[in-house]
Amino acid sequence: SNTAQVNFYFLNLPILPGLGNILANWSLSGTVVNTPAASIPIPGNPNYLNQQLINVTFSFRNVHAVVLSPSVTIAANSCLLCGSFSGNLGGFSGASAASISGSTTQGSTVVFNSDFVTFQNGSNEDVAINLTSVTNTLFRASGKALRSFKASSSGTFSSDPAPFVPSVPEPASWALMIIGFGMVGVASRRRKITVAA
């Protein structure tokens, strides 16, 4: 898959003040199931298209070394957030916007890992990626997967309960952690979805 540079943030984790705005390399790739995109009737607009995704993998890796404290430095190319998920790519036919989503609360498989924080077993984890300025607007031929397109995107990855920093006691008041990334280009192919600058 291709890699794009993005701005990466850990939100709601004040214990990691050195991780407020990190230049990171982001990659995303995946496979669609061996079935055509589905047309889902929605009141007022019968042209909503949905493509199931499987084996989607992603990673955010810091471009430069990160200093967490005078005695702790994380090497460049460490895993800020990496993982995999299953989910859906959906949007209205002919529209210039779409979304990619996956949630453990809705039956998707979502797995996060990081060199900076530890995720608790049994956490509810979500992926939400918004696609805008879609070129070659969403379209599918009869019995086919969605055709290739490019788009700008932004998104969040969240975990509830929040992850914790290894060897540091977890405060009871930690809220949901949300990890966001800046605008990047996304290219989608018939049998593969990749992220491109």
Side-chain angles (χ1 to χ4, degrees):
S1 63
N2 294 323
T3 300
Q5 284 196 345
V6 299
N7 290 320
F8 180 93
Y9 300 85
F10 279 105
L11 300 181
N12 298 333
L13 284 180
I15 201 165
L16 295 175
L19 300 180
N21 181 2
I22 303 172
L23 184 62
N25 289 320
W26 181 50
S27 65
L28 174 78
S29 64
T31 306
V32 295
V33 295
N34 192 24
T35 57
S39 180
I40 302 174
I42 293 178
N45 193 329
N47 297 315
Y48 188 85
L49 301 176
N50 181 76
Q51 185 76 61
Q52 288 185 311
L53 306 175
I54 60 173
N55 301 327
V56 182
T57 60
F58 69 91
S59 68
F60 293 90
R61 295 188 174 274
N62 51 305
V63 174
H64 308 292
V66 177
V67 178
L68 293 182
S69 71
S71 61
V72 179
T73 298
I74 303 298
N77 202 41
S78 296
C79 170
L80 295 165
L81 180 70
C82 304
S84 62
F85 66 94
S86 63
N88 296 279
L89 166 63
F92 290 104
S93 178
S96 60
S99 64
I100 295 173
S101 63
S103 174
T104 55
T105 60
Q106 298 178 359
S108 298
T109 299
V110 182
V111 178
F112 295 152
N113 58 76
S114 172
D115 291 336
F116 294 80
V117 296
T118 299
F119 293 89
Q120 301 180 54
N121 292 333
S123 298
N124 291 323
E125 297 174 338
D126 301 278
V127 175
I129 301 173
N130 299 314
L131 307 175
T132 58
S133 303
V134 174
T135 61
N136 298 326
T137 55
L138 294 186
F139 174 80
R140 72 173 177 93
S142 179
K144 303 292 185 180
L146 293 176
R147 71 177 180 183
S148 297
F149 66 88
K150 291 184 178 181
S152 295
S153 73
S154 63
T156 59
F157 298 75
S158 61
S159 175
D160 185 15
F164 59 92
V165 179
S167 76
V168 178
E170 180 190 4
S173 61
W174 273 7
L176 176 70
M177 180 198 73
I178 300 175
I179 300 167
F181 58 94
M183 302 300 288
V184 296
V186 175
S188 173
R189 304 193 184 283
R190 183 167 181 227
R191 294 292 175 196
K192 184 177 181 182
I193 293 179
T194 56
V195 176

